[in-house]
Amino acid sequence: MAAKKKLCETMSKSMIEEVQRLGCMKQTGVSLRYMMEFGSKPTERNLLISAQFLHKELPIRIARRAVELETLPYGLSDKPAVLKVRDWYLDSFRDLRSFPEIKQTNDEKEFTHMIKAIKVRHNNVVPMMALGVQQLKKDVHPKNVDEGLDEIHQFLDRFYMSRIGIRMLIGQHVELHNPNPPPHCVGYIHTKMSPMEVARNASEDARSICLREYGSAPDVTIYGDPNFTFPYVPSHLHLMVFELVKNSLRAVQERFMDSDKIAPPVRIIVADGLEDVTIKVSDEGGGIARSGLPKIFTYLYSTARNPLDENCDLGTADNVTMAGYGYGLPISRLYAQYFGGDLQIISMEGYGESLILVVSIYVIFVFLCFIAVCIASMFVDLLIRFLLCITQGLMHIYICLVWEIHKNRCHELRLQFQSSID
């Protein structure tokens, strides 16, 4: 009730009804082909079309999340941190709905400036939601934390995955206005990204955090082909590797902090395949007990001390901590899954653990194979039908089947392709 009362105080009745109405609408899936086509030719016309699409689509996506934030179980909606996140979404919804129809280039530029500000406004959503979950965890009986909060885990997966999609749409559009884009970049997507270089930068950032927290940090060694590149979103890979390395550095540092032995390095292996790129981050930080493995990708579990116990000031949520909120690994897995990859963990209690990050190459450029797949698959079908027709003496049926097979196959592949990103 407190959350609803506050909502009525901050928004007009008509705006609340608008949030509810758009929150029930289905969002439009956006394919990589759409982003790449518009990104490869960022003409004024294409940018105008892109802005017009975002002007209609972003309010729906943001409204869906705002409505869901109002109806969370176990009183999570009433937690101060969650209320703050909800207000950010409502403010962004209000900005988008109050923006006039986009008809010309000047309108598009003003709209781009606005959604760029919206993206900045939501920078701290993840740590702020983590604070809200930690606030809830303090009020829930320990026996209920593991048994009765599955609904919250499912919500957070949906919420964070949706956030990734929203930021991808905004970031892609905003980046297309860069007058001097980096070589081989189409908006957010780098067509020749070096995973070794990204891993090196992410490791340096993680080590700097470790140095700040502990005064020292284990070394990080990286193995792989420095000349290998593949198309991906560098910021996504940087975030994932940063979280994995940060997790390993903390484990090693805390295990060897009071030891006479030299802390062993964290090892990163980058293996390139035809369909996937696998990045393994291994450490000798003692590993995780088998009983803790099922919890490792939940949002209520962390082996580190809880920073919320030390400082409950919501204004500090933008400070990067070494660990404790319990969202680094599950968020990293969502980023991997967004483009068809995955994240797995192998632990040897008493020794260390290996985090296996699988990044899909195929999903990024699936649209390049679209016509080739259509032709190849249609050819196989036609060949089989042709042989059957010869065998049965029904050559005249073969001609009638050509158009039917072509139409059905292309329609199926087009549906699969359009649903590649939501």
Side-chain angles (χ1 to χ4, degrees), residues 131 134 137-138 302 304-311 323-325:
L131 284 174
Q134 294 292 355
K137 189 176 178 180
K138 292 177 64 177
S302 176
R305 66 181 184 275
N306 185 356
L308 185 60
D309 294 335
E310 303 171 4
N311 192 344
Y325 291 119

Side-chain angles (χ1 to χ4, degrees), residues 183-422:
H184 311 296
C185 283
V186 180
Y188 256 17
I189 302 171
H190 196 307
T191 60
K192 293 185 178 181
M193 186 197 70
S194 168
M196 291 284 289
E197 181 179 351
V198 174
R200 188 177 302 107
N201 293 335
S203 299
E204 291 175 357
D205 291 345
R207 289 191 77 249
S208 67
I209 299 297
C210 189
L211 285 168
R212 188 187 71 188
E213 293 281 333
Y214 299 104
S216 62
D219 292 331
V220 178
T221 57
I222 306 176
Y223 305 93
D225 182 2
N227 297 319
F228 170 71
T229 63
F230 73 104
Y232 204 69
V233 181
S235 60
H236 286 195
L237 186 62
H238 184 281
L239 182 146
M240 290 184 283
V241 176
F242 171 77
E243 289 293 341
L244 302 189
V245 174
K246 184 160 64 76
N247 179 79
S248 292
L249 288 174
R250 178 187 64 82
V252 174
Q253 182 66 25
E254 293 187 353
R255 187 185 189 194
F256 289 88
M257 189 159 38
D258 299 325
S259 173
D260 295 333
K261 299 179 180 179
I262 299 176
V266 172
R267 296 175 298 280
I268 301 177
I269 298 176
V270 180
D272 52 284
L274 295 178
E275 296 184 1
D276 298 318
V277 175
T278 304
I279 300 175
K280 183 173 77 169
V281 180
S282 301
D283 65 65
E284 298 178 33
I288 300 173
R290 185 169 57 175
S291 60
L293 289 177
K295 308 174 187 178
I296 199 68
F297 289 114
T298 67
Y299 298 95
L300 296 176
Y301 176 78
S302 176
T303 58
R305 66 181 184 275
N306 185 356
L308 185 60
D309 294 335
E310 303 171 4
N311 192 344
C312 294
D313 183 6
L314 299 181
T316 62
D318 57 342
N319 293 330
V320 179
T321 60
M322 198 63 189
Y325 291 119
Y327 65 81
L329 292 182
I331 287 291
S332 297
R333 186 171 67 168
L334 290 180
Y335 268 94
Q337 292 174 343
Y338 183 73
F339 279 136
D342 200 5
L343 175 61
Q344 301 173 1
I345 183 170
I346 301 173
S347 179
M348 298 175 63
E349 186 179 9
Y351 178 78
E353 64 187 27
S354 294
L355 293 156
I356 314 297
L357 174 63
V358 180
V359 179
S360 176
I361 299 178
Y362 174 75
V363 176
I364 293 294
F365 272 150
V366 65
F367 68 90
L368 293 178
C369 308
F370 178 70
I371 296 188
V373 171
C374 281
I375 295 174
S377 59
M378 183 178 70
F379 175 76
V380 173
D381 284 340
L382 292 179
L383 181 60
I384 294 174
R385 300 294 181 94
F386 178 73
L387 294 176
L388 288 175
C389 288
I390 292 179
T391 304
Q392 300 175 11
L394 300 175
M395 284 295 296
H396 60 284
I397 299 179
Y398 172 75
I399 299 176
C400 299
L401 290 173
V402 171
W403 173 247
E404 175 191 350
I405 296 170
H406 170 73
K407 180 175 63 177
N408 292 340
R409 176 62 62 184
C410 289
H411 178 67
E412 292 173 3
L413 290 174
R414 189 177 295 110
L415 291 177
Q416 296 174 7
F417 174 72
Q418 287 297 329
S419 64
S420 60
I421 290 184
D422 189 354

Side-chain angles (χ1 to χ4, degrees), residues 146-165:
D146 297 329
E147 298 176 0
L149 301 183
D150 290 342
E151 190 175 348
I152 288 181
H153 294 312
Q154 295 171 7
F155 155 74
L156 290 172
D157 273 343
R158 293 194 306 271
F159 182 80
Y160 290 140
M161 184 66 85
S162 172
R163 179 177 182 270
I164 294 172

